Amino acid sequence: MENLKDLISKYETSGPRYTSYPTAPHFTPDVDKAKLKSLALASDSPLSLYIHIPFCQSLCWFCGCTSSVCRDWKLVDDYLDLIQKELELWRDNGMTKRILKQIHFGGGTPNFLNVEQIYRLGEIIKKYFTIDDDCEFSAELDPRTLTQEKVEAFVKIGINRASIGIQDTNADVQKAINRIQPHERNLDASRWLRNAGVKELNIDLIYGLPLQTSTTFEKTLSDAMEIQPTRIALFGYAHVPWMKSAQKNLEKNPLPTGEQKVDIFVLAKKFFEQNGYEYVGLDHFAKPDDALIQARKNGTLHRNFQGYTTHAGLDNFAIGLTSISETKTSYRQNFKLMDDYKKSVEAGILPIERGIILNADDILRRGVIMDIMCSLKVRYGNYGVDFKKMFESAFPKLFEMEKDSLVKLNDDGFEVLPLGRLFLRNIAMLFDGRLSQGTQRYSKTI
């Protein structure tokens, strides 16, 4: 443990989470939007669909997502109108009725929708897409506002995987983050989902929150095992109050130090592995037979703005406020402000606010970075360049990381060692050609 603390002190810095490359701060409103549209429509191959639901009943002070507190149900109906109009615009611009291999509802809180609105969203999807028989259909759910009736509605429109947001079960921590959530609600949610036929159940936990300690989090881990999830997302809290002003509220209570955060993470990692989970990398754990583990083994694991996901070859088609889409050579992001999104859609203009078209260097570096994040290995011959010459500046740091047992280098590549998984972002940063561009402030890598 002392050696680990020394390594943390050595490597702790700020950097991207690499849910994309280039990362979102490099998206620009000056991008050729006509080109972005043509790239989105260039193929009729299957898709992964993401729909952003930006509404919440209350604001969790740790949250870094684009969401807003809503009290008026009509605003939700109006938003679904906009979702449908956005899809009509894509259809009018030439989008065929493409097959969906994956669907994901994120937010915000997707189960903020009432039962009728859930059914309506399901009908909207069926109108513009064809859902594959083996489609992975998931939603992020908040147990505080989930009901058995909503679960049944989600299942009827096709959901077969769910992510339950738990974060922490300690009452003092919950009060400090403005998210009061008795564990009984988590157990109710998991029971309703499993009784309705949803066997693939994920849970989300966060470490690094105010008042958390290894002792308090050990109880959260024990509570989480009562649900017996198939996957676990263990996110490190990213304190970015310059981006999310509500996070300033968390400073009323002490936040764990870097060392304390790592103690909590190491405790959780050991706990999960002792309970039969494998460490996928960075912030995900899964049962050995889970699709995430299989995808890592067969090379189809991918990382996007929802975290780790399967089906690496699919374009991600995202709709709704602030949603980010991905093709083989581009990213595009919808407007972040509701008024701007609404004005664009109602004017008959695709609501693309910004994006980026990748050049050859971006595509090469994205391949290397995603191999580090997903496959945990790099093979120099896979990229069509003289790898050692192109990335000459990275090797002195890689040699240093090898001495620290983070990576193992050989003649044709390198692999990330178990200890190195704690430092994946640091390793990936060695191959980021845009890191020094701009003035973006990032969260801590560790």
Side-chain angles (χ1 to χ4, degrees):
M1 179 60 76
E2 288 304 315
N3 178 55
L4 178 57
K5 290 179 179 179
D6 290 341
L7 290 175
I8 291 161
S9 177
K10 179 177 180 178
Y11 287 105
E12 186 176 40
T13 185
S14 298
R17 298 187 67 86
Y18 293 112
T19 48
S20 70
Y21 184 82
T23 54
H26 299 291
F27 299 177
T28 172
D30 297 326
V31 68
D32 183 343
K33 295 186 175 71
K35 180 67 172 176
L36 287 180
K37 182 182 77 173
S38 67
L39 289 171
L41 300 172
S43 170
D44 59 0
S45 59
L47 292 170
S48 175
L49 175 68
Y50 174 77
I51 299 180
H52 189 74
I53 309 296
F55 306 108
C56 289
Q57 180 172 279
S58 61
L59 180 63
C60 302
W61 289 337
F62 63 82
C63 186
C65 301
T66 300
S67 61
S68 61
V69 174
C70 181
R71 296 282 187 265
D72 186 352
W73 290 104
K74 185 179 183 304
L75 293 177
V76 183
D77 288 324
D78 292 344
Y79 182 70
L80 293 180
D81 288 342
L82 294 172
I83 289 286
Q84 181 156 359
K85 288 177 181 177
E86 182 183 352
L87 285 170
E88 287 176 359
L89 289 176
W90 279 106
R91 182 193 61 191
D92 293 346
N93 277 275
M95 185 180 75
T96 57
K97 193 173 185 180
R98 294 167 71 175
I99 295 172
L100 299 179
K101 292 283 190 178
Q102 280 185 319
I103 305 171
H104 185 73
F105 296 161
T109 307
N111 58 283
F112 185 85
L113 276 62
N114 62 35
V115 170
E116 292 74 19
Q117 290 163 341
I118 293 169
Y119 284 129
R120 183 184 173 196
L121 186 55
E123 289 303 314
I124 289 172
I125 294 170
K126 290 178 182 177
K127 181 176 180 179
Y128 297 96
F129 301 96
T130 299
I131 301 177
D132 187 83
D133 290 340
D134 295 322
C135 180
E136 181 185 271
F137 195 156
S138 60
E140 300 167 12
L141 302 176
D142 182 345
R144 296 175 300 166
T145 55
L146 192 64
T147 65
Q148 186 171 352
E149 291 73 23
K150 289 184 181 182
V151 167
E152 291 169 355
F154 278 125
V155 170
K156 285 182 180 178
I157 70 171
I159 280 184
N160 49 38
R161 178 181 289 279
S163 292
I164 299 175
I166 295 177
Q167 323 316 347
D168 192 295
T169 61
N170 181 272
D172 292 333
V173 174
Q174 291 181 359
K175 184 177 180 180
I177 63 176
N178 197 38
R179 186 185 175 102
I180 305 302
Q181 184 173 322
H183 185 50
E184 289 75 14
R185 297 296 296 159
N186 305 325
L187 297 175
D188 286 343
S190 63
R191 185 180 70 255
W192 293 334
L193 286 159
R194 287 206 165 97
N195 287 345
V198 179
K199 305 304 180 186
E200 304 297 324
L201 201 54
N202 313 347
I203 61 169
D204 293 346
L205 303 174
I206 297 180
Y207 68 100
L209 296 172
L211 302 181
Q212 272 182 344
T213 67
S214 295
T215 301
T216 65
F217 204 66
E218 193 167 13
K219 178 62 166 62
T220 291
L221 297 174
S222 177
D223 289 340
M225 285 301 98
E226 294 184 53
I227 293 173
Q228 287 296 302
T230 50
R231 295 179 190 171
I232 301 162
L234 178 64
F235 297 115
Y237 167 62
H239 192 55
V240 287
W242 57 88
M243 294 175 60
K244 296 292 180 179
S245 59
Q247 291 188 352
K248 294 177 182 176
N249 291 297
L250 300 190
E251 297 171 1
K252 299 173 184 176
N253 293 288
L255 288 160
T257 65
E259 279 193 8
Q260 289 171 330
K261 281 185 68 174
V262 172
D263 287 345
I264 295 171
F265 177 84
V266 171
L267 168 76
K269 179 177 179 294
K270 183 178 180 181
F271 181 90
F272 293 141
E273 290 173 341
Q274 289 175 340
N275 280 274
Y277 295 87
E278 289 190 25
Y279 185 31
V280 179
L282 194 63
D283 47 25
H284 279 60
F285 297 80
K287 291 286 190 180
D289 59 349
D290 187 82
L292 275 184
I293 300 296
Q294 302 309 312
R296 188 181 67 192
K297 291 178 178 178
N298 63 30
T300 59
L301 187 66
H302 185 55
R303 189 160 173 80
N304 62 20
F305 286 88
Q306 286 79 60
Y308 283 107
T309 181
T310 54
H311 299 297
L314 299 180
D315 285 354
N316 185 36
F317 192 91
I319 57 173
L321 191 71
T322 201
S323 61
I324 299 176
S325 300
E326 176 183 359
T327 74
K328 305 297 184 295
T329 57
S330 70
Y331 296 95
R332 65 183 186 276
Q333 182 172 21
N334 280 357
F335 286 102
K336 291 184 177 181
L337 299 178
M338 185 67 80
D339 284 348
D340 294 335
Y341 174 70
K342 180 178 180 180
K343 287 176 183 177
S344 180
V345 170
E346 291 186 342
I349 301 170
L350 291 172
I352 302 170
E353 180 176 23
R354 61 187 191 132
I356 190 169
I357 297 169
L358 279 61
N359 58 38
D361 184 71
D362 292 329
I363 293 170
L364 171 61
R365 291 175 184 273
R366 177 169 70 174
V368 176
I369 288 171
M370 288 302 160
D371 282 344
I372 292 168
M373 302 296 289
C374 298
S375 301
L376 304 176
K377 60 186 177 183
V378 166
R379 293 292 172 260
Y380 302 147
N382 289 350
Y383 309 102
V385 297
D386 184 336
F387 191 94
K388 291 185 178 180
K389 181 178 180 180
M390 179 171 180
F391 296 110
E392 182 178 5
S393 63
F395 277 85
K397 296 176 182 177
L398 282 173
F399 291 141
E400 187 70 20
M401 287 179 169
E402 185 173 42
K403 291 179 183 178
D404 290 329
S405 300
L406 306 186
V407 300
K408 179 176 176 57
L409 280 75
N410 50 51
D411 291 339
D412 65 349
F414 66 87
E415 62 180 293
V416 179
L417 297 177
L419 183 59
R421 295 187 192 183
L422 302 177
F423 300 87
L424 276 180
R425 293 163 71 182
N426 299 75
I427 300 169
M429 286 167 66
L430 301 181
F431 302 92
D432 187 332
R434 294 175 176 266
L435 197 57
S436 62
Q437 301 173 11
T439 59
Q440 173 68 19
R441 296 170 67 185
Y442 295 101
S443 63
K444 294 290 186 181
T445 57
I446 304 166

